[in-house]
Amino acid sequence: MRKWYGVIGDPIEQSLSPLMQEFWFGRAGLDAHYEAFHVTKDNLARAVAGLKALGAGGFNVTVPHKSAIIPFLDETDKDARIIGAVNTVVRADGRLIGYNTDGIGFLKSVETRFPQLCTGKPSALILGAGGAAKAVAVTLAKDMAGRVDVCNRTLAKAAVLSETCGKFCLSEAFGPSEAEKRLRRYDMVINCTSVGLNPDTDAPVIDIGAAKRDTLFADLIYKPFRTALLRRAERMGNPVLNGLPMLICQGAYAFKKWTGFMPDVPGAEKLLQGLFLK
Ligand code: ATR
């Protein structure tokens, strides 16, 4: 029988995952299909039960369900539990198992493009302490960085995330003005807040003028393709990375969980970049 997969979220119309995953299934010659499903918070439990009953091979989970879905799954992988969020669900022997590929997606997208940055335990500053920040901060702390500091408008949330990171590497929490004072300490600064989504009005959450010239500025946002933060960093001559490579890498690791092998990542980059750069 034809296998099928999907993504659940609210809103979901904007999702690039169907285009990307169907491209990969086609390239791999697999007879499989991937569909976007609009699922509201009220319907989450019923939707998960429905996907299970109808035999989905697996599915992705996006905003606002990444944390809320955990109680409805049969099992959650240890790393996803530490992060507190699931973006990929795999069906195995009829059971639904939750994973998080967002953090590894970010880490690999940096490693591929800036390998020199990733040797020797780099230090990272995370802007934000929400769901996206957790995945990136915890994965960096566990698997790459020597220090992961967390800066957030709401300090209490930064402190909680920093405590988790502190189990794996050095970590401190503070607000924006402290972050600006310490900027020279960091090899990479990653915007994981939603600030920047509105290209006309959103200024960066911190002033980055004091950064070293080789500090990488990354933003998880890919629409706009360059946020105000990345435009400013580019003008300063710093390396920059937007959220598109991470989006593609998290999808690639989800595909691998479902099929057992990595898909054509460069092909998907060409396909999706084409949408933004035309
Ligand atoms: P996501 O799951 O996409 O990470 P989220 O969990 O709602 O979304 O987190 C949004 C993040 O953006 C938070 O860190 C939030 O800061 P607070 O914890 O203080 O709310 C941050 N954020 C949103 N709007 C912001 C703004 N105008 N200035 C600074 N930070 C902002």
Side-chain angles (χ1 to χ4, degrees), residues 173-246:
F174 33 73
S177 56
E178 263 319 295
E180 286 170 5
K181 283 185 210 148
R182 298 172 196 222
L183 258 189
R184 290 195 72 75
R185 176 191 267 192
Y186 302 106
D187 302 307
M188 53 182 101
V189 175
I190 305 129
N191 178 46
C192 306
T193 74
S194 45
V195 178
L197 281 171
N198 190 331
D200 297 329
T201 53
D202 284 356
V205 281
I206 57 168
D207 182 80
I208 61 169
K212 296 184 292 182
R213 278 304 81 87
D214 57 354
T215 297
L216 169 68
F217 282 89
D219 204 316
L220 303 196
I221 294 169
Y222 54 85
K223 202 172 173 189
F225 206 64
R226 292 267 183 269
T227 57
L229 175 76
L230 295 196
R231 290 200 306 273
R232 167 97 168 102
E234 244 174 0
R235 282 199 302 275
M236 285 164 42
N238 283 62
V240 300
L241 179 70
N242 79 359
L244 194 59
M246 172 182 165

Side-chain angles (χ1 to χ4, degrees), residues 101-171:
T101 68
D102 283 331
I104 182 85
F106 175 76
L107 196 141
K108 292 293 173 190
S109 66
V110 174
E111 256 177 20
T112 314
R113 286 166 181 75
F114 305 97
Q116 74 291 352
L117 247 182
C118 302
T119 53
K121 299 260 166 201
S123 64
L125 174 65
I126 305 289
L127 303 176
K134 277 187 207 160
V136 170
V138 171
T139 309
L140 280 175
K142 278 183 78 242
D143 299 335
M144 186 199 275
R147 164 180 288 279
V148 176
D149 289 345
V150 184
C151 163
N152 196 44
R153 177 178 66 175
T154 310
L155 198 53
K157 278 169 71 181
V160 171
L161 179 53
S162 171
E163 202 183 313
T164 306
C165 293
K167 292 178 186 155
F168 307 103
C169 71
L170 296 173
S171 183

